[in-house]
Amino acid sequence: MTDCLFCKIAAKEISSSVVYEDDLILAFKDINSVSPFHILIITKEHYRNILDVPDEKLINIMKAIKKIAKEYNLDESGFRIVNNCGNDGGQEVDHIHFHMLAKRSHSWPPG
Ligand code: AMP
Ligand code: ZN
Protein backbone atom coordinates (compact mmCIF):
# COMPACT_ATOMS: atom_id res chain seq x y z
CA MET A 1 0.00 0.00 0.00
CA THR A 2 1.61 3.24 -1.12
CA ASP A 3 0.82 5.54 1.77
CA CYS A 4 1.29 3.16 4.66
CA LEU A 5 4.06 3.77 7.20
CA PHE A 6 4.62 0.09 7.99
CA CYS A 7 4.61 -0.90 4.30
CA LYS A 8 7.41 1.63 3.85
CA ILE A 9 9.27 0.15 6.81
CA ALA A 10 8.77 -3.36 5.37
CA ALA A 11 10.13 -2.15 2.02
CA LYS A 12 13.10 -0.50 3.83
CA GLU A 13 12.07 2.88 2.42
CA ILE A 14 11.91 4.08 6.02
CA SER A 15 14.61 2.83 8.35
CA SER A 16 13.87 0.82 11.46
CA SER A 17 15.82 -1.17 13.96
CA VAL A 18 15.15 -4.71 12.75
CA VAL A 19 15.27 -7.54 15.28
CA TYR A 20 13.83 -10.34 13.15
CA GLU A 21 13.09 -10.89 9.48
CA ASP A 22 11.98 -13.70 7.22
CA ASP A 23 10.24 -13.83 3.85
CA LEU A 24 6.85 -12.83 5.26
CA ILE A 25 7.47 -11.14 8.60
CA LEU A 26 9.45 -8.17 9.89
CA ALA A 27 9.96 -7.27 13.55
CA PHE A 28 11.50 -3.96 14.56
CA LYS A 29 11.89 -1.80 17.65
CA ASP A 30 8.97 0.48 18.49
CA ILE A 31 10.10 4.09 18.12
CA ASN A 32 8.23 5.01 21.31
CA SER A 33 9.04 2.10 23.56
CA VAL A 34 7.00 1.62 26.72
CA SER A 35 9.09 -1.32 27.94
CA PRO A 36 12.84 -2.05 27.85
CA PHE A 37 12.04 -4.59 25.12
CA HIS A 38 9.28 -3.27 22.83
CA ILE A 39 9.07 -4.45 19.27
CA LEU A 40 6.42 -4.55 16.57
CA ILE A 41 5.84 -7.68 14.52
CA ILE A 42 4.25 -7.06 11.13
CA THR A 43 3.43 -8.98 7.98
CA LYS A 44 5.41 -7.58 5.05
CA GLU A 45 2.20 -7.69 3.04
CA HIS A 46 -0.34 -5.01 3.88
CA TYR A 47 -3.38 -6.04 5.90
CA ARG A 48 -5.37 -3.46 7.83
CA ASN A 49 -5.88 -5.51 10.95
CA ILE A 50 -6.12 -9.02 12.36
CA LEU A 51 -9.56 -9.51 10.80
CA ASP A 52 -8.13 -8.99 7.31
CA VAL A 53 -5.17 -11.37 7.65
CA PRO A 54 -5.96 -14.75 6.04
CA ASP A 55 -6.10 -17.48 8.69
CA GLU A 56 -3.24 -19.45 7.16
CA LYS A 57 -0.98 -16.38 7.41
CA LEU A 58 -1.67 -15.63 11.07
CA ILE A 59 0.46 -18.61 12.03
CA ASN A 60 3.53 -16.95 10.49
CA ILE A 61 3.21 -14.13 13.01
CA MET A 62 2.92 -16.60 15.88
CA LYS A 63 5.90 -18.58 14.65
CA ALA A 64 7.99 -15.40 14.51
CA ILE A 65 6.94 -14.51 18.07
CA LYS A 66 8.13 -17.91 19.29
CA LYS A 67 11.46 -17.57 17.47
CA ILE A 68 12.05 -14.08 18.86
CA ALA A 69 11.17 -15.23 22.39
CA LYS A 70 13.82 -17.93 22.17
CA GLU A 71 16.42 -15.75 20.46
CA TYR A 72 16.09 -13.01 23.08
CA ASN A 73 15.85 -15.41 26.03
CA LEU A 74 12.33 -14.35 26.93
CA ASP A 75 11.05 -17.89 27.36
CA GLU A 76 11.82 -17.95 31.10
CA SER A 77 11.08 -14.31 32.05
CA GLY A 78 7.99 -14.01 29.85
CA PHE A 79 6.54 -11.29 27.69
CA ARG A 80 3.28 -9.65 26.66
CA ILE A 81 1.74 -9.69 23.18
CA VAL A 82 -0.71 -6.89 22.35
CA ASN A 83 -2.79 -6.36 19.25
CA ASN A 84 -4.68 -3.09 19.10
CA CYS A 85 -7.55 -3.52 16.62
CA GLY A 86 -9.64 -0.63 15.34
CA ASN A 87 -10.76 2.52 17.15
CA ASP A 88 -11.77 0.98 20.45
CA GLY A 89 -8.62 -1.14 20.44
CA GLY A 90 -6.51 2.02 20.15
CA GLN A 91 -4.97 1.11 16.79
CA GLU A 92 -3.05 4.06 15.34
CA VAL A 93 -1.27 2.48 12.39
CA ASP A 94 -3.63 0.65 10.06
CA HIS A 95 -1.21 -2.13 9.12
CA ILE A 96 -1.46 -5.32 11.18
CA HIS A 97 1.08 -5.37 13.99
CA PHE A 98 1.56 -7.12 17.28
CA HIS A 99 3.41 -5.39 20.09
CA MET A 100 5.83 -7.61 22.01
CA LEU A 101 6.75 -6.22 25.43
CA ALA A 102 9.29 -7.66 27.82
CA LYS A 103 12.15 -7.10 30.27
CA ARG A 104 9.89 -5.66 32.98
CA SER A 105 6.75 -6.91 34.68
CA HIS A 106 3.46 -5.77 33.11
CA SER A 107 0.35 -5.18 35.18
CA TRP A 108 -3.23 -6.09 34.32
CA PRO A 109 -5.67 -4.68 33.28
CA PRO A 110 -4.15 -2.30 30.73
CA GLY A 111 -5.54 1.24 30.41
P1 AMP B 1 -0.83 1.08 17.62
O1 AMP B 1 -1.39 2.10 18.55
O2 AMP B 1 -1.04 -0.33 18.11
O3 AMP B 1 -1.28 1.28 16.20
O4 AMP B 1 0.74 1.26 17.69
C1 AMP B 1 1.51 1.88 16.71
C2 AMP B 1 2.93 1.88 17.22
O5 AMP B 1 3.79 2.23 16.15
C3 AMP B 1 3.20 2.87 18.36
O6 AMP B 1 3.64 2.16 19.52
C4 AMP B 1 4.30 3.77 17.79
O7 AMP B 1 5.25 4.13 18.75
C5 AMP B 1 4.89 2.89 16.70
N1 AMP B 1 5.56 3.61 15.63
C6 AMP B 1 5.07 4.66 14.93
N2 AMP B 1 5.96 5.05 13.99
C7 AMP B 1 7.02 4.21 14.10
C8 AMP B 1 8.27 4.08 13.40
N3 AMP B 1 8.60 4.91 12.38
N4 AMP B 1 9.12 3.11 13.80
C9 AMP B 1 8.80 2.29 14.81
N5 AMP B 1 7.64 2.35 15.49
C10 AMP B 1 6.76 3.30 15.14
ZN1 ZN C 1 0.83 -1.29 5.11
Side-chain angles (χ1 to χ4, degrees):
M1 202 186 188
T2 49
D3 205 25
C4 169
L5 173 63
F6 286 179
C7 280
K8 287 178 181 162
I9 287 177
K12 310 280 171 68
E13 289 165 20
I14 292 178
S15 68
S16 69
S17 186
V18 173
V19 299
Y20 173 86
E21 180 168 18
D22 63 33
D23 289 351
L24 303 165
I25 302 293
L26 185 74
F28 53 94
K29 290 185 183 170
D30 194 296
I31 206 167
N32 232 328
S33 58
V34 298
S35 296
F37 184 96
H38 184 176
I39 64 167
L40 301 172
I41 297 138
I42 70 170
T43 57
K44 289 185 173 175
E45 208 172 342
H46 181 88
Y47 298 104
R48 190 173 47 120
N49 62 35
I50 193 170
L51 301 172
D52 285 358
V53 181
D55 291 350
E56 68 275 13
K57 294 196 173 171
L58 279 174
I59 196 163
N60 298 313
I61 301 173
M62 296 305 146
K63 282 181 175 173
I65 289 169
K66 288 175 74 172
K67 284 184 190 164
I68 293 164
K70 285 184 186 129
E71 193 175 328
Y72 287 86
N73 298 314
L74 306 176
D75 34 1
E76 287 294 323
S77 51
F79 54 89
R80 176 168 291 175
I81 298 295
V82 174
N83 172 248
N84 298 326
C85 184
N87 283 343
D88 282 358
Q91 183 175 6
E92 287 177 1
V93 178
D94 284 338
H95 179 129
I96 179 71
H97 56 279
F98 284 75
H99 297 253
M100 187 171 191
L101 308 160
K103 304 283 188 192
R104 72 169 170 88
S105 91
H106 294 81
S107 59
W108 192 262

